[in-house]
Amino acid sequence: MSRHDDGDSDNRTPVQLPSRIPLMRIRQRALPLALGLFLSVNVLAGQAGFRTVSVPGLPADPEPVPVALFYPTQSPERTIAMGPFTVHAAMGGVPEAQVKGLIVLSHGHGGSELGHASLAEALARDGFLVAALRHPGDNWQDQSLLANGPARYFSARPQQASRVIDALLQDPAWKDRIARDAKGPRVGAVGHSAGGYTVLALAGGRPELQRLATHCSDNRAADPILCSVAPTGEPAVTPSGQLDQAVPALADSRVRAVVALAPLGAVFSARSLASIQIPTLVYEAELDRYLVPRFHAEWIAQNVSGVELHRVSNAWHWAFMDIPAMPISTPDGDIGADPPGFDRPAFLKQLGKELPAYFDKIFELSPG
């Protein structure tokens, strides 16, 4: 889970498969579709546009969801500092008539919708509409969601992301721009840390709260940072006096591929992960101390059939975030810090090539 007041291909090496895990395969997956079943989209824009919207909240949690939209445009980009992060985009630029698809971007615990701006810009320049949401109750300004108990925390995040998908697929400004094919609107999701959990829940993984509590009871010394911040305590009591411990179904069938960056995974059982049937790409930070890979990224990769796993060599947990212009402290040190020898700008540049190519392949699109 990430905290915020919020490439180089040589840094990415495939993980060797343990022979005891026959279901895990490090390979690329595409969804084969017969020619002519969908409208091919080749967006020619080379610029990223930017605007913000506010999505109405859920009936049970009416707080609006702030969303930063990145999208393809012909309008000229400019560089603008926004708090500790920098956006390179055309502010309010005119969107292209059609986008390749919708990608929802989920930040980590205590994070920001702008913490992965460079990745959102790269996807937008490739032709996608990117909706980077600020999770209500779990962002740099407000972390009250944790106080509501683990059931609410782990259910609210995916529900908030689904609410953003609802809104944009119904929005007159965007619904006709988002490309469709024989399977419906093209929708994908990317998430970092707790955002990685979020997109895996959208893909069909179902959190099992007792599993996380047991994990921290058994492995606190080996996974200390996660177990110091994870909501593993007693469930909250609802206004009716009942214990809030049930987690509803969270899968969103509109999401057709996910990318999980240094994800929180210990909350999922092997059975739950095996239920994920859509293309899944997982990135592991080799030296991650916030979410120790063997309990999280590697656990996910061992149990999701057909998963593609990339290990980023010599990387800490924050490698997937843009470097802020000011120090931002976390339980795992400064967000902008990296191990000696790790070139984060080069890695983010490479990631900005790999993820658009991945979604192009999944949706069988030509590069933008």
Side-chain angles (χ1 to χ4, degrees), residues 209-230:
L209 305 182
Q210 186 55 47
R211 191 181 190 286
L212 185 59
T214 300
H215 165 73
C216 284
S217 175
D218 295 343
N219 301 291
R220 186 173 298 275
D223 200 12
I225 298 178
L226 178 277
C227 292
S228 71
V229 299

Side-chain angles (χ1 to χ4, degrees), residues 71-284:
Y71 52 87
T73 182
Q74 296 293 335
S75 303
E77 295 179 356
R78 56 195 180 101
T79 299
I80 299 180
M82 295 187 177
F85 296 106
T86 301
V87 172
H88 306 276
M91 299 294 141
V94 179
E96 293 286 9
Q98 192 167 49
V99 298
K100 289 180 173 181
L102 168 64
I103 308 296
V104 176
L105 179 55
S106 173
H107 63 71
H109 166 56
S112 162
E113 68 274 28
L114 299 178
H116 303 274
S118 63
L119 177 56
E121 291 158 10
L123 286 161
R125 293 183 192 116
D126 188 62
F128 288 96
L129 167 63
V130 180
L133 70 150
R134 184 194 308 168
H135 284 279
D138 191 24
N139 59 72
W140 68 277
Q141 292 179 309
D142 176 12
Q143 296 170 38
S144 60
L145 194 56
L146 281 172
N148 293 327
R152 185 66 194 129
Y153 182 86
F154 287 110
S155 60
R157 279 181 139 269
Q159 289 170 339
Q160 291 163 353
S162 285
R163 183 69 191 96
V164 171
I165 297 172
D166 290 340
L168 290 172
L169 291 181
Q170 297 169 14
D171 189 334
W174 294 105
K175 64 179 183 178
D176 294 330
R177 284 189 163 97
I178 298 170
R180 305 174 63 94
D181 56 31
K183 295 186 177 182
R186 297 189 184 121
V187 180
V190 178
H192 174 235
S193 196
Y197 154 77
T198 301
V199 302
L200 289 163
L202 294 175
R206 190 158 182 171
E208 298 183 15
L209 305 182
Q210 186 55 47
R211 191 181 190 286
L212 185 59
T214 300
H215 165 73
C216 284
S217 175
D218 295 343
N219 301 291
R220 186 173 298 275
D223 200 12
I225 298 178
L226 178 277
C227 292
S228 71
V229 299
T232 59
E234 293 298 322
V237 177
T238 67
S240 65
Q242 299 298 312
L243 287 179
D244 178 18
Q245 51 192 347
V247 176
L250 302 169
D252 192 321
S253 62
R254 298 167 298 185
V255 176
R256 292 161 50 181
V258 299
V259 179
L261 309 170
L264 167 65
V267 72
F268 295 114
S269 68
R271 178 184 65 248
S272 173
L273 291 169
S275 70
I276 296 176
Q277 298 298 312
I278 64 173
T280 302
L281 173 59
V282 176
Y283 280 78
E284 167 193 335

Side-chain angles (χ1 to χ4, degrees), residues 315-340:
W316 284 337
H317 185 72
W318 312 112
F320 305 94
M321 291 185 65
D322 292 354
I323 299 175
M326 56 182 283
I328 299 175
S329 63
T330 78
D332 188 32
D334 180 43
I335 280 179
D338 292 299

